[in-house]
Amino acid sequence: MTTNFDAIVIGTGQSGPFLAVRLAAAGQRVAVIERGRFGGTCVNTGCIPTKTLVASAYAAHMTRRASEFGVQVAGTISVDMKRVKARKDEISGKSRDGLEAWLKSTPNCTVFQGQARFESPNQVRVGENLLAASQIFINVGGRAAIPSLPGVANTPHLTNSTLLDLDVLPRHLVIVGGGYVGLEFGQIFRRLGSEVTIIEKASRLIGHEDEDVSTEVQAILEREGIQVRLNAACIELMSHGEEVAVRVDCAAGAPEVSGSHLLLAMGRTMNTDDLGLEKAGLAHDARGYITVDNQLRTNVPGIWALGDCNGHGGFTHTSYNDFEIVAGNLLDHQTRSITDRIRAYNLYTDPPLGRCGMTEHEARASGRHVLIGRRPMTRVARAVEKGESQGFIKLLVDADSKEFLGANILGTGGDEVIHCVLDMMYAHASYTVMQRAMHIHPTVSELLPTVLEELQPV
């Protein structure tokens, strides 16, 4: 028998639950389907657990630096990985359990636990249950990609998910992948006490960022003792007894790197491969991203795709914004679109990188008349006072419209300071508004008007 609903929500990441509750509050009968742990990547294997580890790693790092601040710490500094993991699990678990309880207690909302598969454009099967609805919202997210490297099938390895299960400290963590996941985990485990080597195929880390950003981030990591191997053109994985090894083809350095643990951090795979998309007639690309328009509608009327699986963000905040767009259009009589939002994200190394809008490379290639302002964190009093003066501020402005084009804030507080620029961009305000603003001293943000006083043509 078929059970009819007004809406079906597949997945409980950062879009699905909030949309389900909004629809239920509007009087619709909603089915929510979750095959695993509630909360998606952010709650279980992404933002919450990893930033909890970042905090533990920061505490260990600053404890080792205590004497620089005139603080004496007696005895040997050590890290209890079981306690580190327990703290991470507790914080993540509270968020996950709270979300599950919220959905299951919401009136008009029925939760089904199991694998969802389309039977038709308006029918979804979950185990023995066949559900039907005129509106279906897909929020299934993604998982770590396992690259087809030579030796991968026979070499023990970790992903961003399984690494979180460790309650022992790796002696030497070898990371293949110089993107955000690899860099964040690399610094975390180095600060917790592991030897760390990062291997990257490209000529620099985080290659989609400006070269000066990549160079400075690499320098920050290397100052902490992380080994970085670039231009690794021919990567091969292998085991040597209890050791794992990576054969590389680099211009300099040993041809092989061995360690106790291996992390593969080389992209994501979408959780759309077992949804039965073909039975619904849903269009998708070769990587599994479901094709959507600017309002997140798929090619099939009555079906939307939100979050990572639509290929238009890949962050918790973009997924939540997807919910706001769909809810605004369907329930609030608004006209909202993914084209309304400005690209923005953070890299949570320490110091963090706050990013919004264009990179310098993109701005130069845009044909605009671009103004640029820079300032090293060594000339930011707040950073010097904190003993955290690595990094720099870089602001980009359109000389004709006087609007911000983008910003890189690599430095202490950069993950928060970036919003000063981001909000100006959403307001389409002239940079002179910020330039003339009185910011509070001593902060990192107070130097933004100063940087704007020193703009120069690129």
Side-chain angles (χ1 to χ4, degrees), residues 19-66:
L19 182 58
V21 170
R22 280 294 314 274
L23 293 169
Q28 297 191 31
R29 294 182 63 243
V30 182
V32 176
I33 305 170
E34 175 53 61
R35 71 175 180 181
R37 295 183 292 181
F38 288 77
T41 297
C42 178
V43 169
N44 297 291
T45 60
C47 313
I48 292 178
T50 58
K51 278 51 186 179
T52 304
L53 292 181
V54 166
S56 292
Y58 181 76
H61 179 65
M62 293 306 292
T63 302
R64 293 189 189 99
R65 294 185 59 199

Side-chain angles (χ1 to χ4, degrees), residues 244-256:
V244 291
V246 181
R247 184 172 295 158
V248 295
D249 182 15
C250 300
E256 185 176 294

Side-chain angles (χ1 to χ4, degrees), residues 109-131:
C109 186
T110 304
V111 175
F112 294 85
Q113 293 183 255
Q115 173 64 48
R117 288 188 175 87
F118 280 97
E119 293 286 328
S120 73
N122 65 349
Q123 292 179 310
V124 178
R125 181 172 294 281
V126 188
E128 297 180 354
N129 299 291
L130 183 61
L131 316 179

